[in-house]
Amino acid sequence: MHRDTVFDLLGVGFGPSNLALAVRLAEEASVSNLAHCFIERQPEFGWHRGMLLDDCRMQISFLKDLATMRDPKSRFTFINYLFERGRLVDFVNLKNFYPTRVEFHDYLSWVAASFDDRVNYGETVTGIEALRSAANPNDIDALRVFSRDHEGREWQRVTRALSVGIGGGAMVPEAFAALGTHSIVHSSQYLTSIDRVVGPSSGARKRVAVIGAGQSAAEVFVDLTRRFPHVDASLIMRSGALKPADDSPFVNEIFSPAFTDIVYAQPRDGRRSLIERFRDTNYAVVDRPLIEQIYEMLYLQNVSADFRHRVLAHTGIETALRTADGRIELTLRDRLSGHARAEQFDALVLATGYRRDTHFDLLEGLAPHLGDALAQGNVERDYRLATPESFKPRIYLQGCCEDSHGLSDTLLSVLALRSDEIAASLARHLSKDPSTGRTEQTQESEASSGRIAFVF
Ligand SMILES: Cc1cc2nc3c(=O)[nH]c(=O)nc-3n(C[C@H](O)[C@H](O)[C@H](O)COP(=O)(O)OP(=O)(O)OC[C@H]3O[C@@H](n4cnc5c(N)ncnc54)[C@H](O)[C@@H]3O)c2cc1C
């Protein structure tokens, strides 16, 4: 018989959301002794590495880092990072609130390094199973979390609470999914795949289409035109123009922590309409300087009469198919004139955004025990899935509560405070029930029938 370690909290994914939680747990006395760990599928910490383009900047002030908004005196602030790296004075001289993404990635990695002993890198969580209470078999009192590492080994851990912070999954429209992955790259994999896809600059000319109208589409388009002299790039979008993100100060208040309360207090329809009203702060919009840069690049093409790169606005893609020689043929329809034409490309970059529903797959094994909490998206203000009374483990959802908590949920804006709310919720729960009802017997018998159980 095998005895599992029972964690108080297990975090799935170790991106900024769970990293912020790790920081909070480390700094808050009432929860600092919780038995907790994180499981992250990447081999080391990484924040959107596939889009870590050299000169791209953050779309949020550095002051909205993992800690400052909660506690400017935390040792995990961006300012302390600059100080410890010896760049604080130079950074001040930049007079810029928006560091490059490369620098912010370095900041996040610097914070993450403090939690190496808590994170199991290189493991993907593959499923979660409910464990019944030995005292009351009608109750579920813990969760078994299954994961697989790079070498195919399976692991399992038992926990009383879960923090799901797995980010978004690449959104690949059906028409493109059917074509397979050869020479088709989602923007999330852009930097790790593009060299292979377009080949060396000394090679033949390549026609590459970027699909999308948002920040990633614009960034990829500019990168292709700058770094690959043999690439002719086309940016294809249904909308009529690249539109600027509204980051004006009054509008920006929707990303304030207080706005989460305002959204959450609305009835379902009210939440939806608030989110729709402010969609142009985050979706299908581009930073104005980048728009201006693209416009100027196209203008200079006009001057030199060298029309290699194009922005095709008002353009719908009706069909996508593979040609006999492996290229991709798109039927493009001009949405103003109604005229359709076929064009062939050597490669596509899909800047088509992210799905925010991947937690459904992750939690699928628990569905029979969750009532309609999952299907209805019933999440409490403290980000806890509203599970039935008989389901004791606490499941916190981060980054997939936009419908209930507003547009800041998928971003960095409220991380410092959201992690505080989750930590406080855990602390309240533990203080109500200090034993958390541990039933070692249950865990022993369940473990003996489980898969390979590695325990640390
Ligand atoms: C290119 C880009 C730039 C952005 N820039 C900004 C910005 O400037 N400002 C802003 O506010 N927001 C920005 N965002 C939004 C972004 O969502 C947040 O910055 C942030 O990444 C959210 O953190 P997260 O931890 O919730 O998700 P993620 O950063 O996506 O992290 C999720 C982690 O979970 C891991 N994971 C997933 N599934 C599993 C599994 N089954 N098992 C184990 N691990 C798993 C992933 O490997 C990943 O490391 C940007 C997004 C992109 C794509």
Side-chain angles (χ1 to χ4, degrees):
M1 189 163 293
H2 199 102
R3 178 174 295 195
D4 282 338
T5 300
V6 180
F7 288 95
D8 295 313
L9 175 73
L10 192 149
V12 186
F14 200 60
S17 294
N18 271 330
L19 177 56
L21 185 58
V23 167
R24 189 56 188 139
L25 295 178
E27 293 192 325
E28 168 55 44
S30 64
V31 280
S32 59
N33 60 357
L34 283 189
H36 66 283
C37 74
F38 300 88
I39 301 178
E40 166 55 51
R41 78 177 161 204
Q42 299 182 85
E44 60 186 331
F45 181 83
W47 178 60
H48 301 302
R49 280 181 189 273
M51 281 295 291
L52 217 50
L53 295 158
D54 277 348
D55 52 355
C56 287
R57 292 197 169 270
M58 295 300 293
Q59 292 174 282
I60 198 168
S61 160
F62 70 85
L63 291 170
K64 289 190 174 174
D65 58 23
L66 298 169
T68 301
M69 289 292 145
R70 181 192 68 242
D71 177 10
K73 297 186 295 305
S74 162
R75 82 173 188 82
F76 294 108
T77 62
F78 187 78
I79 289 183
N80 189 41
Y81 152 79
L82 290 173
F83 179 75
E84 291 206 0
R85 286 276 202 253
R87 289 202 303 270
L88 183 54
V89 173
D90 297 342
F91 184 83
V92 171
N93 287 338
L94 289 175
K95 297 183 186 162
N96 194 329
F97 273 77
Y98 305 93
T100 62
R101 281 215 292 271
V102 170
E103 184 170 29
F104 205 75
H105 182 271
D106 190 55
Y107 156 67
L108 294 171
S109 306
W110 171 83
V111 177
S114 294
F115 300 98
D116 274 350
D117 56 340
R118 295 269 183 203
V119 191
N120 303 282
Y121 286 108
E123 280 182 47
T124 300
V125 174
T126 52
I128 301 167
E129 163 186 297
L131 298 179
R132 290 189 186 281
S133 154
N136 182 358
N138 289 327
D139 284 357
I140 302 299
D141 72 350
L143 303 173
R144 189 187 303 283
V145 177
F146 297 97
S147 57
R148 190 172 299 121
D149 67 21
H150 287 331
E151 288 161 24
R153 285 180 304 179
E154 296 201 49
W155 300 74
Q156 46 180 278
R157 297 173 179 86
V158 173
T159 182
R160 304 271 173 205
L162 204 64
S163 166
V164 177
I166 56 175
M171 172 107 77
V172 176
E174 235 171 78
F176 303 117
L179 302 182
T181 52
H182 176 66
S183 63
I184 299 183
V185 180
H186 186 268
S187 58
S188 55
Q189 304 294 319
Y190 175 71
L191 279 180
T192 45
S193 311
I194 195 62
D195 290 297
R196 174 181 49 77
V197 166
V198 299
S201 342
S202 54
R205 290 196 86 75
K206 292 280 164 76
R207 297 191 80 218
V208 180
V210 183
I211 319 290
Q215 181 72 17
S216 291
E219 287 178 4
V220 165
F221 179 64
V222 168
D223 187 66
L224 284 171
T225 62
R226 273 204 192 152
R227 278 202 305 134
F228 300 97
H230 64 306
V231 165
D232 297 345
S234 301
L235 179 58
I236 303 178
M237 67 189 79
R238 262 199 308 253
S239 55
L242 288 175
K243 289 195 193 148
D246 187 342
D247 62 349
S248 55
F250 288 111
V251 167
N252 227 29
E253 288 188 344
I254 68 154
F255 297 113
S256 307
F259 205 77
T260 308
D261 288 325
I262 294 172
V263 177
Y264 193 82
Q266 303 294 312
R268 213 170 267 263
D269 286 353
R271 289 174 182 170
R272 183 67 1 235
S273 92
L274 260 183
I275 290 164
E276 282 307 317
R277 236 178 290 159
F278 290 105
R279 262 187 88 76
D280 61 356
T281 52
N282 189 38
Y283 292 107
V285 286
V286 181
D287 283 349
R288 186 179 284 270
L290 189 56
I291 295 178
E292 289 166 355
Q293 194 181 328
I294 291 174
Y295 195 87
E296 183 169 27
M297 187 258 288
L298 295 178
Y299 178 82
L300 292 175
Q301 282 194 162
N302 271 342
V303 174
S304 60
D306 176 14
F307 304 104
R308 289 179 44 206
H309 309 301
R310 307 174 300 168
V311 173
L312 303 178
H314 293 295
T315 304
I317 298 175
E318 301 221 314
T319 59
L321 51 88
R322 280 265 176 218
T323 61
D325 61 356
R327 300 182 87 206
I328 302 145
E329 183 170 295
L330 302 180
T331 308
L332 304 176
R333 187 176 294 279
D334 184 315
R335 300 177 79 214
L336 294 179
S337 67
H339 177 73
R341 67 187 187 281
E343 286 201 22
Q344 292 192 358
F345 295 92
D346 298 291
L348 303 185
V349 181
L350 306 178
T352 41
Y354 293 83
R355 295 163 42 207
R356 289 284 165 184
D357 58 0
T358 47
H359 59 294
F360 288 115
D361 294 342
L362 191 75
L363 300 176
E364 195 185 7
L366 304 177
H369 309 282
L370 295 177
D372 57 7
L374 202 53
Q376 301 268 318
N378 289 338
V379 183
E380 306 284 355
R381 176 61 185 82
D382 63 1
Y383 301 92
R384 192 172 61 83
L385 193 63
T387 53
E389 184 58 31
S390 57
F391 190 94
K392 309 294 181 198
R394 304 170 77 74
I395 300 177
Y396 295 94
L397 299 178
Q398 302 197 64
C400 44
C401 302
E402 186 182 87
D403 287 349
S404 50
H405 289 64
L407 284 158
S408 55
D409 189 66
T410 65
L411 303 174
L412 303 171
S413 327
V414 294
L415 287 192
L417 283 130
R418 181 169 72 195
S419 56
D420 188 46
E421 289 165 353
I422 294 175
S425 168
L426 278 164
R428 272 196 306 278
H429 173 64
L430 292 176
S431 66
K432 258 192 237 153
D433 181 5
S435 72
T436 60
R438 276 184 191 179
T439 51
E440 286 189 351
Q441 220 184 332
T442 310
Q443 309 316 335
E444 286 179 14
S445 54
E446 292 282 349
S448 63
S449 63
R451 292 190 281 175
I452 318 156
F454 289 90
V455 184
F456 45 56

